[in-house]
Structure formats: structure tokens, C-alpha cells
Amino acid sequence: MLVIQELCKTYNNGIEALKNISLEIPHGIFGLLGPNGAGKSTLMRTLATLQDPDSGTVTLDGTDLRRDLQQSRQNLGYLPQDFGVYPQVSAVELLDQLAVFKGFVNRKQRRAVVEEQLQLVNLFDHRHQQLGTFSGGMRQRFGIAQALLGAPRLIIVDEPTAGLDPAERIRFQNLLAEISQDRVLLLSTHIVEDVAELCPQMAILKQGAIVQSGSPLEMLDNLKGRVWMCPGEDLSEIEEQWALITTRMERGGRCTRVLSETQPSSKFQLVDPDLNDVYFTALM
Ligand code: ADP
């Protein structure tokens, strides 16, 4: 289990990126949702020990991550948001090099580990191909292969599905589900659907603070009977009287959703809340 206690971080320009963050994250995929600028990457980099918090602690299975950085990094895999690769180098060459950095000094053992990872992410047949020729989905799967080197207990994945086509996204989601079986996998994203589809537990971050955490199913339950929809987007009336959740396209037309304990007017019908409703009400 990953335990985050009272993490704070203020940048030199005065921006408070993390305001007293505490979370307990069990094995499996944990989704961290939040708009751009909420502090997700700051939190991810802090957990990846690439950046120091001003205060607070992070422990993985009882051990403080900052106590022995070398040891912690062995237990940690990280797929950053902008994952640069050397375009002229082949997948197997780069992974082999990265395995050296992870401490695999024995060549034979290293080759076995590298090949095993390439098999797992389904890139073995492309292992001699230059990384510059990889599609977005292949690059992300390569990113997972490097994050998995050394069988880390904590894997941190920062906004992985942006820019993937639907088929690649599904393949990538399946891969994340597969590798999260017996470890903590933290998935940071601003794509609500990724969390809805993948994560049994989640938290929503807003301006550096956790505004909601728990299971998406429970959060949906909390909203049951309180989300109302009407066709159209006459906001003038709505914003004054009820809490506007969103206006969005539904079944080919624009619709407005509001949060209300009672039926706002006869134009509104009760709808099943979805995770977008959870997300936008949490950010209100
Ligand atoms: P997210 O990943 O959710 O988009 P970030 O962690 O990147 O959020 O940023 C959180 C806030 O901290 C933003 O307001 C951002 O502008 C600011 N920020 C991020 N990195 C730095 C930095 N190195 N120096 C100053 N401000 C930063």
C-alpha cells in the first residue's frame, strides 16, 4: 500500500501546487483526476522521487520513499507525460540500455528480462524497429515496458492515453489492468472515461487539494436522484436557480445537467449520474 501524508509543495513563483495531500492507495489501479494545473504532475513527480515536497511523507509498504532513494527507485516504475525516445534507436537497444541503469549488469539475465517485457507489451515482433517509426500506442506500450523493468511495486503513469486512437486506447487500458494485478498503479489523467473504465478507487484533485476520494461506484451512488437533465442550454435561468453541472452533447443534441434535490421544473427529467457528473460536481 502507498500512503501519502500531508504533502505540501509551493513553487518559487508562489503557486501552491500541493496543499496538504493525504491519500491511502491500495494495490490495483488508482485514478487521479483533475483539470490542467490541478497539481497532478507535481504529485506524480514527487511520488516518483524526482522532486522534493516542502513537507509531508510518502511510504510504500511501510518504507519511507525518501529514506533510501536508490532502493526506492528500484521499486518504482514511471511513465512520464512527455516520454522522449531516441528515434534512431531500436526498441530492444533502448530497453537494454535502460535495464543497465536499473541495475541489470549480467548480460544474459538482462536480455531475458528485456525480451520478457517486450513480449508482455506485445512489441517483441517489432523489437528491432526504430522507435521513431512507432505509432502513439506502440510508444506508450514501450513506455510501460521500461516502467516495468525490475518488477517495481509502484508504477506511476502520467496522462497515458491522450493522443491514442480508440483501438490503441483499449489495448493500452487492457495492458494497464493486466500489470496492476499485484502492485500499486497510479494513473493520472484528465480523461474521465479512463477512470470510469479502469479504476476501482480514485481521487479528484482541484487547485492542489483532494476534493473527493473513494470508489467511483460510491460516488455515483451519492449523486443518485439528484442529477436532472433538460434539452437545450438556456443558462440564464439555470445558473441563478440551480447548480449547473455541464452542458454537453447527448444523443445528437445539446443538453443541460443540473444538481438539485428536487425536480427543478417540468422541463427536467431525472437521469442516471455518470462519472462526468461526479467530476464536475466535485470541482464546483
Ligand atoms: P497538472 O499536472 O494537474 O496539470 P501541475 O502539477 O503541472 O498540474 O501544475 C500545478 C500548478 O503548479 C500549475 O499552476 C503550474 O503552473 C504550477 N507549476 C508546475 N510546475 C511548476 C514549476 N516548475 N515552477 C512553477 N510553477 C509550476
Side-chain angles (χ1 to χ4, degrees):
M1 181 180 256
L2 182 71
V3 180
I4 300 170
Q5 279 175 313
E6 298 175 2
L7 272 193
C8 294
K9 172 73 187 178
T10 303
Y11 286 111
N12 289 340
N13 57 5
I15 290 181
E16 272 188 87
L18 301 179
K19 299 174 188 160
N20 211 26
I21 301 273
S22 296
L23 277 175
E24 290 193 357
I25 302 182
H27 281 187
I29 307 188
F30 187 95
L32 188 69
L33 261 181
N36 288 332
K40 301 183 299 296
S41 294
T42 302
L43 181 58
M44 297 294 109
R45 286 195 305 266
T46 306
L47 299 179
T49 71
L50 299 174
Q51 185 173 323
D52 286 331
D54 297 333
S55 58
T57 58
V58 184
T59 57
L60 179 62
D61 297 331
T63 307
D64 191 325
L65 281 186
R66 307 208 65 80
R67 205 173 62 195
D68 182 348
L69 284 183
Q70 182 82 10
Q71 178 66 34
S72 295
R73 286 176 187 160
Q74 301 262 332
N75 279 323
L76 209 147
Y78 181 46
L79 175 56
Q81 206 169 333
D82 32 29
F83 176 62
V85 292
Y86 303 95
Q88 319 260 302
V89 177
S90 75
V92 71
E93 282 168 331
L94 183 55
L95 206 53
D96 185 76
Q97 190 56 54
L98 293 169
V100 174
F101 295 144
K102 273 261 174 170
F104 290 92
V105 282
N106 178 306
R107 242 175 99 180
K108 205 165 151 206
Q109 189 199 10
R110 191 166 71 237
R111 180 187 293 174
V113 167
V114 163
E115 291 191 350
E116 186 190 358
Q117 300 310 330
L118 288 167
Q119 298 270 17
L120 179 73
V121 301
N122 216 357
L123 285 176
F124 189 74
D125 292 344
H126 301 279
R127 65 192 182 282
H128 296 304
Q129 208 173 308
Q130 289 183 347
L131 288 161
T133 66
F134 273 19
S135 70
M138 289 165 80
R139 276 174 62 121
Q140 286 302 55
R141 281 185 281 135
F142 179 81
I144 286 294
Q146 64 80 27
L148 282 173
L149 285 171
R153 285 183 291 145
L154 168 63
I155 297 198
I156 295 169
V157 186
D158 202 354
E159 300 198 355
T161 63
L164 300 189
D165 72 34
E168 285 176 334
R169 189 167 150 253
I170 289 170
R171 214 175 305 146
F172 191 71
Q173 285 184 340
N174 287 337
L175 177 61
L176 292 183
E178 198 178 319
I179 65 170
S180 68
Q181 295 298 321
D182 44 9
R183 47 167 70 100
V184 178
L185 193 153
L186 206 57
L187 173 70
S188 152
T189 179
H190 58 256
I191 302 176
V192 173
E193 285 72 23
D194 279 344
V195 171
E197 287 154 16
L198 277 173
C199 305
Q201 295 286 320
M202 65 175 281
I204 300 174
L205 201 61
K206 176 190 178 184
Q207 292 172 358
I210 303 286
V211 287
Q212 214 173 108
S213 68
S215 102
L217 289 178
E218 277 167 26
M219 294 181 192
L220 288 170
D221 249 15
N222 271 336
L223 282 185
K224 265 218 172 107
R226 300 162 67 205
V227 178
W228 303 83
M229 184 189 76
C230 90
E233 49 175 332
D234 182 6
L235 300 183
S236 52
E237 192 186 3
I238 286 162
E239 284 193 288
E240 282 179 14
Q241 294 194 33
W242 308 293
L244 172 70
I245 303 175
T246 49
T247 66
R248 57 169 131 143
M249 295 299 289
E250 283 183 62
R251 296 181 218 122
R254 217 145 174 89
C255 288
T256 300
R257 285 177 173 238
V258 301
L259 185 68
S260 173
E261 303 301 323
T262 55
Q263 186 176 22
S265 80
S266 60
K267 281 190 293 185
F268 284 86
Q269 68 182 85
L270 196 59
V271 286
D272 279 337
D274 61 22
L275 211 59
N276 273 299
D277 298 318
V278 169
Y279 178 65
F280 286 112
T281 50
L283 295 182
M284 272 175 182

